[in-house]
Amino acid sequence: MDMCCKVVVFFAILYTVTAEIYIVTMEGDPIISYHGGVNGFEATAVDSDEKIDTTSELVTSYGRHLERKHDMLLGMLFQEGSYKKLYSYKHLINGFSAHLSPDQAEMLRRSPGVKSVSRDWKVRKLTTHTPQFLGLPTDVWPTGGGYDRAGEDIVIGFIDSGIFPHHPSFASHHTSVPYGPHPSYKGKCEDDPRTKLSFCNGKIIGAQHFAEAAKAAGAFNPDVDFASPMDGDGHGSHTAAIAAGNNGVPVRMHGYEFGKASGMAPRARIAVYKALYRLFGGFVSDVVAAIDQAVHDGVDILSLSVGPNSPPTTTKTTFLNPFDATLLGAVKAGVFVAQAAGNGGPFPKTLVSYSPWITTVAAAIDDRRYKNHLTLGNGKMLAGIGLSPSTRPHRSYKMVSANDVLLGSSGVRYNPSDCQKPEVLNKKLVEGNILLCGYSFNFVAGSASIKKVAETARHLGAAGFVLVVENVSPGTKFDPVPSGIPGILITDVSKSMDLIDYYNVTTSRDWMGRVKSFKAEGSIGDGLEPILHKSAPEVALFSARGPNTKDFSFQDADLLKPDILAPGSLIWSAWSQNGTDEANYVGEGFALISGTSMAAPHIAGIAALVKQKHPQWSPAAIKSALMTTSTVMDRAGRPLQAQQYSETETMTLVKATPFDYGSGHVNPSAALDPGLVFDAGYEDYLGFLCTTPGINAHEIRNFTNTPCNYRMRHPSNFNSPSIAVSHLVRTQTVTRRVTNVAEEEETYTITSRMEPSIAIEVSPPAMTLRAGASREFSVTLTVRSVTGAYSFGEVTLKGSRGHKVSLPVVALGQKR
């Protein structure tokens, strides 16, 4: 009896030491998304404005059915007492968590009906992360009553790929204060043709789709594009949540929580105008119809993460085309428009947003970076990226190349080094080892994905995977991808060569080149913990650059673009479960992606906060407040830097200019109280168009139905919170008009600085403005020497009550 007890205790201790917690997801819909199809169980799916009725017999019976399937699977595979089920997940996901041995977890991975098995992991909770980086929770939201009032009654319209309405970022019950009817918005909500349920829930206040042009062109496929506001791409859900997603939504993937997501204005309402589609993008006819409807419905803000691939060739100027002209009408109606600058950087003249009535947003890298490393058996440590857990501590694993573990002639039909198809690789050779794969052009083209590599490695029982970049083209962007198993991407070609050399030296082969024994070893570090950098923000490599262009011949415009810089790199946000825009996030609820598409909704959301505090301000006044209070210094107090290519085509950092960041990086708390604004209206925009050389007055009238006025004399006199002179000969004086939007009189001193090739003077040197009063000042630029390059400077107005506004100056000196 004593011996028996000792044996039992021994095995209990062994079980405790070796078992771990795994999260298992199953095929089949959970309660919230089950639309029927299982014999004997009716649909339980609900719209996102409804709570699940847990007392409903439909819900409880289908829930019992799912739980029985979980228990049956475990009972069939494992002996009772050898595992412990912790939870059955039935409502939001279909699956369970259990305390299992690694061998049991591997058996589950191979079982029919199992979608994934992920080892759970403890990580430090972090927000995701731009609200904190921008100071919203501490400096901005409290001024409007807290996060649950931030953006109250402001409607943000999204011209994008639709929305996934069931996501918690858009749930109406995620707030302590219920959403009531909106006092003025009059847009409509389409119903989901599959479920007959509305897309709207109080948080989402409008949802429509526009596809007539796409249908006429034969590009629209209702099976994949969804003839509804449903997001079949992922992009639209991502941008909507950045601007106006609920606060405090847990971001979980592969068993890890990466923080809690929040929009910039979490209380703002969302109006969806779907005009983009996953396979072909969109047609301007549909986009214009969407903008038109949005303005008719009464949106306050428009967020546009869309633009032409290049300056339009159908008109003589970039400013006058149906897209920009429609947006001019929107601004005339009082709608603030934020548009992505484009992703053609770091090369000059790559902007796809041109007009003065639009706020053009460049993309910044914030202070959060994810890094990882691979340690080789020879002690060398290779840097890389991989948002994944580490291999087991204090242990190395053999490394096997995919090309060396092929099954027969499988590699003839496929590129085996991509590691996209587990069936072509020998599981006996891969199991328990680190799988080495090659990062080919297929990953750039989208036909291969890191997500699929992780699935292949998991299916084969690998301890982890390494993706090796052997060739890299300028513009190739490498972002960390979440993985449930250890994995790393080696992006530096020289480090990849170190790994390949080590592998070749340590791997013995016969005379035919076949491996006799694998001797290369390695371990993968923990890539889940971010590193916070003081060098932030930086201008992202991909962010489009100025100068702005006025026509399709790429002649420089007398208008600075981009206007402002906002976070746009590695942004966690909501994703559509139908989304295919990023192969690495197919079927996921969140995605970590980069682009000026992510920067624009940051500005749209922050503009909503400014609009909430100052409801009577014009779009130009809001734009001015954002621009003039932005910063050109990073967190370490140094001038902003921009990612750029060196002569050897490697990425480096250079001092940034206004062509990279516009006025600077957005500072939301300062924008709420700028002191002064540079206001402008419809007549000012017409004056800019009429005085821009090369634009025909007849063409302007065609688009605006308004005759020209030339009182502005020169486009550089347009009352923008920036100054650009693209053809400065000898001396030119430009004027600006400021309005005191503070509650008290204030005296401002005006100072200026400019690079040596151009002299700058301001007049008057100081001025006093009563509350609500406006005054003009002038800036005179004089060519000292012609260098063939733009000169950069700044005009600063510093107030006696602590306000400070700055506007960037760019000028190109010419002989004539």
Side-chain angles (χ1 to χ4, degrees):
M1 184 68 179
D2 290 342
M3 180 60 73
C4 177
C5 290
K6 289 177 182 177
V7 171
V8 170
V9 170
F10 171 76
F11 281 113
I13 292 171
L14 182 64
Y15 166 70
T16 303
V17 170
T18 60
E20 296 182 84
I21 297 172
Y22 292 86
I23 297 174
V24 181
T25 59
M26 302 281 291
E27 293 179 357
D29 289 321
I31 289 169
I32 198 168
S33 58
Y34 173 60
H35 296 286
V38 178
N39 190 29
F41 298 96
E42 295 185 32
T44 60
V46 298
D47 197 17
S48 58
D49 61 341
E50 295 177 304
K51 290 185 178 180
I52 299 172
D53 183 2
T54 56
T55 63
S56 163
E57 178 58 28
L58 293 178
V59 170
T60 55
S61 62
Y62 183 64
R64 287 194 298 267
H65 163 73
L66 293 180
E67 189 160 2
R68 281 196 302 268
K69 290 190 69 175
H70 304 162
D71 294 339
M72 285 175 58
L73 177 65
L74 288 166
M76 287 190 303
L77 290 177
F78 310 129
Q79 184 177 353
E80 186 176 353
S82 67
Y83 68 91
K84 183 179 180 181
K85 190 185 77 169
L86 304 178
Y87 298 102
S88 267
Y89 304 120
K90 302 167 291 185
H91 298 94
L92 303 179
I93 62 170
N94 175 18
F96 57 87
S97 65
H99 203 220
L100 305 166
S101 71
D103 290 342
Q104 289 173 319
E106 184 56 37
M107 288 181 68
L108 276 171
R109 286 190 184 98
R110 299 196 301 264
S111 300
V114 173
K115 290 169 64 177
S116 67
V117 179
S118 302
R119 188 177 64 188
D120 212 331
W121 200 262
K122 291 182 179 179
V123 296
R124 183 166 62 93
K125 291 186 178 181
L126 293 169
T127 57
T128 60
H129 149 80
T130 48
Q132 278 69 22
F133 180 70
L134 296 170
L136 298 181
T138 54
D139 301 331
V140 178
W141 292 344
T143 66
Y147 73 86
D148 53 354
R149 294 291 184 187
E152 183 77 67
D153 283 339
I154 304 298
V155 180
I156 306 178
F158 296 89
I159 314 295
D160 217 299
S161 65
I163 199 163
F164 187 71
H166 309 296
H167 198 282
S169 289
F170 312 123
S172 60
H173 57 262
H174 196 86
T175 174
S176 58
V177 182
Y179 287 99
H182 192 274
S184 60
Y185 180 77
K186 51 184 180 292
K188 68 177 183 179
C189 279
E190 296 181 20
D191 291 340
D192 189 326
R194 297 178 301 125
T195 65
K196 311 304 181 187
L197 297 174
S198 173
F199 273 84
C200 294
N201 61 5
K203 173 69 173 177
I204 303 171
I205 200 172
Q208 302 171 59
H209 82 287
F210 301 82
E212 293 305 311
K215 292 175 183 176
F220 186 84
N221 181 346
D223 292 333
V224 296
D225 295 317
F226 298 108
S228 76
M230 179 63 75
D231 186 4
D233 182 278
H235 191 271
S237 300
H238 200 272
T239 56
I242 290 171
N246 289 323
N247 181 59
V249 178
V251 178
R252 287 188 66 85
M253 285 184 68
H254 307 299
Y256 320 118
E257 183 175 311
F258 291 99
K260 289 181 168 57
S262 174
M264 302 298 101
R267 184 67 178 179
R269 312 288 186 106
I270 294 170
V272 177
Y273 299 88
K274 176 180 173 180
L276 304 179
Y277 297 88
R278 63 168 107 177
L279 296 179
F280 58 86
F283 290 82
V284 171
S285 295
D286 292 329
V287 173
V288 167
I291 296 168
D292 185 76
Q293 187 65 49
V295 175
H296 171 271
D297 293 343
V299 302
D300 300 296
I301 313 286
L302 270 178
S303 179
L304 294 167
S305 294
V306 57
N309 293 328
S310 62
T313 58
T314 54
T315 54
K316 294 180 180 179
T317 174
T318 53
F319 311 124
L320 283 179
N321 59 78
F323 181 76
D324 282 66
T326 304
L327 291 175
L328 174 58
V331 172
K332 183 181 180 183
V335 178
F336 175 91
V337 179
Q339 185 184 16
N343 296 332
F347 308 107
K349 297 189 179 183
T350 48
L351 295 158
V352 297
S353 176
Y354 316 100
S355 297
W357 47 89
I358 298 168
T359 301
T360 301
V361 189
I365 297 171
D366 65 20
D367 60 347
R368 173 175 287 188
R369 318 287 164 83
Y370 290 99
K371 295 183 179 180
N372 205 342
H373 63 274
L374 171 70
T375 303
L376 303 180
N378 60 8
K380 186 170 288 188
M381 186 178 292
L382 307 181
I385 56 175
L387 203 58
S388 77
S390 66
T391 49
R392 291 185 181 276
H394 314 298
R395 179 180 169 184
S396 291
Y397 295 81
K398 286 184 179 179
M399 296 191 292
V400 299
S401 169
N403 286 327
D404 288 329
V405 293
L406 288 179
L407 284 172
S409 59
S410 304
V412 174
R413 293 179 56 196
Y414 307 107
N415 182 359
S417 67
D418 284 357
C419 297
Q420 300 295 290
K421 295 184 176 294
E423 62 270 23
V424 306
L425 303 178
N426 190 329
K427 181 173 183 177
K428 291 182 180 179
L429 296 177
V430 175
E431 194 167 16
N433 298 323
I434 292 176
L435 179 63
L436 302 183
C437 310
Y439 191 93
S440 69
F441 179 75
N442 293 335
F443 288 87
V444 180
S447 59
S449 70
I450 298 175
K451 178 186 177 78
K452 191 66 178 177
V453 174
E455 291 174 354
T456 296
R458 183 187 294 112
H459 181 83
L460 297 172
F465 66 88
V466 178
L467 263 171
V468 181
V469 177
E470 297 181 60
N471 295 288
V472 64
S473 301
T476 303
K477 181 163 62 75
F478 299 108
D479 286 345
V481 174
S483 168
I485 69 169
I488 188 171
L489 173 66
I490 307 297
T491 60
D492 186 326
V493 174
S494 65
K495 303 296 184 187
S496 295
M497 293 301 104
D498 288 343
L499 170 57
I500 293 170
D501 291 344
Y502 169 69
Y503 180 82
N504 288 335
V505 167
T506 55
T507 302
S508 59
R509 302 176 184 271
D510 62 18
W511 65 276
M512 293 184 65
R514 294 173 301 199
V515 174
K516 293 164 56 179
S517 62
F518 296 100
K519 295 291 180 64
E521 292 188 344
S523 61
I524 298 170
D526 186 345
L528 294 171
E529 292 287 347
I531 301 169
L532 301 182
H533 282 245
K534 285 187 177 181
S535 60
E538 297 168 356
V539 182
L541 184 72
F542 58 81
S543 186
R545 310 297 211 262
N548 193 15
T549 53
K550 65 181 181 181
D551 55 35
F552 63 87
S553 298
F554 289 89
Q555 293 187 66
D556 292 6
D558 292 300
L559 179 73
L560 177 64
K561 292 283 180 173
D563 291 308
I564 198 164
L565 185 68
S569 178
L570 300 182
I571 305 299
W572 276 114
S573 190
W575 200 246
S576 172
Q577 291 181 3
N578 308 305
T580 59
D581 185 48
E582 293 282 343
N584 290 313
Y585 295 99
V586 173
E588 303 292 353
F590 292 91
L592 180 73
I593 56 178
S594 302
T596 55
S597 285
M598 286 66 252
H602 277 88
I603 293 299
I606 295 167
L609 301 176
V610 178
K611 177 80 173 177
Q612 180 188 13
K613 184 170 182 180
H614 305 285
Q616 302 305 315
W617 280 12
S618 69
I622 295 173
K623 177 180 178 180
S624 172
L626 294 169
M627 290 179 62
T628 60
T629 59
S630 60
T631 179
V632 295
M633 309 298 285
D634 67 17
R635 292 297 170 89
R638 299 170 300 198
L640 289 178
Q641 293 182 297
Q643 293 184 338
Q644 184 57 262
Y645 285 125
S646 67
E647 292 181 359
T648 59
E649 296 187 342
T650 58
M651 198 278 287
T652 187
L653 288 172
V654 299
K655 183 181 178 182
T657 76
F659 288 148
D660 304 317
Y661 56 66
S663 60
H665 191 274
V666 64
N667 181 352
S669 61
L672 294 178
D673 181 23
L676 299 175
V677 296
F678 295 78
D679 209 351
Y682 189 66
E683 289 297 321
D684 297 294
Y685 299 124
L686 287 180
F688 171 83
L689 293 172
C690 294
T691 55
T692 295
I695 303 183
N696 186 286
H698 179 69
E699 189 176 14
I700 294 172
R701 186 158 191 160
N702 283 346
F703 279 101
T704 65
N705 298 311
T706 308
C708 257
N709 75 72
Y710 299 95
R711 292 186 298 273
M712 194 174 289
R713 300 189 307 279
H714 192 277
S716 292
N717 288 323
F718 170 70
N719 203 44
S720 169
S722 61
I723 294 173
V725 182
S726 64
H727 194 89
L728 177 63
V729 179
R730 293 187 291 275
T731 295
Q732 183 173 329
T733 297
V734 300
T735 59
R736 287 296 183 269
R737 182 182 66 257
V738 290
T739 301
N740 183 1
V741 293
E743 297 179 352
E744 297 179 281
E745 179 179 283
E746 191 163 6
T747 298
Y748 284 85
T749 57
I750 309 176
T751 57
S752 60
R753 62 175 179 81
M754 200 76 187
E755 291 177 345
S757 60
I758 292 177
I760 185 169
E761 293 182 30
V762 293
S763 178
M767 57 187 182
T768 300
L769 293 91
R770 300 188 309 275
S774 299
R775 282 196 64 179
E776 286 190 352
F777 66 93
S778 64
V779 179
T780 300
L781 302 170
T782 303
V783 177
R784 284 175 169 164
S785 61
V786 175
T787 64
Y790 273 90
S791 295
F792 303 103
E794 183 180 60
V795 174
T796 301
L797 293 87
K798 192 170 184 179
S800 57
R801 295 185 179 275
H803 293 108
K804 178 184 175 183
V805 299
S806 299
L807 61 160
V809 181
V810 301
L812 180 60
Q814 307 271 13
K815 291 182 179 178
R816 58 181 178 85

